[in-house]
Amino acid sequence: MPEIKTDNVQIALVTGASRGIGKAIARALAGTGRFVYLNFNSNLEKADAVLEDIISSGGNGALLQFDVSNREESEKAIKKIIKEQGKIDILVNNAGIRDDMLMVWMKKENWQSVLDTNLTGFFNVTRLTVKNMLSKRFGRIINISSTSGQTGQAGQVNYSASKAGLIGATKALAREIAKRNITVNAVAPGFIETEMIDGLPVKEIAKTIPAGRLGKPSEVAAAVLFLCSKDAGYITGQVIGINGGVL
Ligand code: NAP
């Protein structure tokens, strides 16, 4: 990967960019001229296809494999970006997993793995990024939460807890760093057509959504793109629902 001089170009990191919502966000950011680091956990083939697609559309970026639940790996990756580019302007904490079951059947590992990825992953990736943003006096952080974290969802005590935690972290961090021109917001998607909802009764779910359909990854990406814009500079500590009207 040749080192690219990106002095006037915004540098973005999207975690979980190999598939689904993260892929759509990475494409949207690259499509608007940002240099995008595409993080993934294990799916190199899919991540590579996203990067190929971005480059063939005239955009630019690089792959960056690490496990967000692993603090050492995450901090090493952030240091690598800062070494290569000097800054991170945009961070989208999107990587996430679910492991649904009723609380009575839930084992400690089902709880821990979801919290480690969805919530501690935010801490692992964001801490050093914020340090860099503070020194540059600019930043946009967007955390991908969920309707499940706003209302609670039966069968998702672990997932709802992680996504509600992310909302609390978003609001607290926004207050800490607002004066330095850094905004921190969350988006809370409802049901979005990605691999994450494979196996769910989609037709039945659609009947419960006022819009009568599931959302598309590009519809989440559009909101993230706006939150990254200059015009969104006075929006911080907010949670934007993208859910077809369920909430
Ligand atoms: P998805 O299709 O399952 O994709 C998940 C992405 O996260 C993949 O790129 C995956 O990488 C990455 N990932 C998972 N664990 C990781 C880890 N430990 N370290 C680094 N990357 C990791 O999911 P999605 O539906 O696009 O969801 C994206 C985000 O939106 C998640 O936070 C999810 O909770 C949230 N969300 C989704 C929905 C929905 O209906 N789809 C609704 C509300 C919120 P690999 O490909 O390498 O495994």
Side-chain angles (χ1 to χ4, degrees):
M1 181 32 230
E3 198 175 320
I4 294 162
K5 279 290 152 223
T6 44
D7 289 350
N8 298 317
V9 173
Q10 284 191 325
I11 306 300
L13 166 62
V14 181
T15 65
S18 53
R19 297 185 269 132
I21 293 171
K23 170 181 165 180
I25 293 169
R27 286 168 67 173
L29 288 169
T32 46
R34 278 88 174 206
F35 184 96
V36 183
Y37 283 88
L38 300 121
N39 158 257
F40 63 100
N41 188 22
S42 56
N43 217 323
L44 173 60
E45 210 176 307
K46 287 202 170 170
D48 204 32
V50 180
L51 181 59
E52 285 292 307
D53 179 48
I54 283 175
I55 290 170
S56 66
S57 310
N60 220 335
L63 299 182
L64 193 54
Q65 189 281 327
F66 62 93
D67 175 354
V68 298
S69 70
N70 182 310
R71 186 164 173 211
E72 253 179 40
E73 278 184 32
S74 302
E75 297 210 330
K76 203 171 143 197
I78 300 305
K79 283 178 187 162
K80 178 179 157 64
I81 299 177
I82 293 169
K83 191 169 175 222
E84 286 177 3
Q85 310 289 356
K87 61 172 186 168
I88 301 175
D89 300 290
I90 295 167
L91 169 62
V92 184
N93 286 303
N94 165 79
I97 56 169
R98 70 181 178 92
D99 188 7
D100 302 350
M101 69 197 67
L102 294 175
M103 177 81 170
V104 286
W105 305 115
M106 196 175 284
K107 297 195 167 57
K108 174 72 193 309
E109 50 266 35
N110 307 117
W111 167 267
Q112 201 62 54
S113 61
V114 171
L115 267 291
D116 284 352
T117 301
N118 297 3
L119 186 56
T120 308
F122 154 84
F123 175 79
N124 292 340
V125 176
T126 307
R127 199 183 67 84
L128 286 184
T129 305
V130 163
K131 213 172 160 192
N132 176 264
M133 288 175 170
L134 285 168
S135 72
K136 302 287 174 192
R137 291 181 154 71
F138 179 82
R140 295 278 188 268
I141 299 171
I142 293 99
N143 299 319
I144 311 300
S145 179
S146 169
T147 310
S148 178
Q150 295 176 297
T151 63
Q153 182 70 39
Q156 291 196 318
V157 168
N158 49 359
Y159 185 83
S160 295
S162 71
K163 294 298 185 178
L166 207 46
I167 290 174
T170 298
K171 288 174 177 288
L173 183 59
R175 285 171 182 263
E176 283 186 14
I177 60 183
K179 279 208 172 77
R180 293 283 185 101
N181 200 24
I182 304 166
T183 65
V184 190
N185 291 289
V187 301
F191 287 101
I192 308 295
E193 288 168 355
T194 71
E195 287 174 36
M196 183 172 267
I197 62 159
D198 278 356
L200 296 184
V202 168
K203 278 190 181 153
E204 292 309 307
I205 289 170
K207 288 181 197 161
T208 68
I209 300 171
R213 65 170 179 87
L214 276 66
K216 297 184 194 318
S218 60
E219 292 174 310
V220 180
V224 171
L225 202 58
F226 171 66
L227 289 170
C228 290
S229 71
K230 200 174 170 211
D231 286 344
Y234 200 54
I235 302 173
T236 196
Q238 303 305 303
V239 184
I240 299 185
I242 305 165
N243 55 35
V246 293
L247 186 65

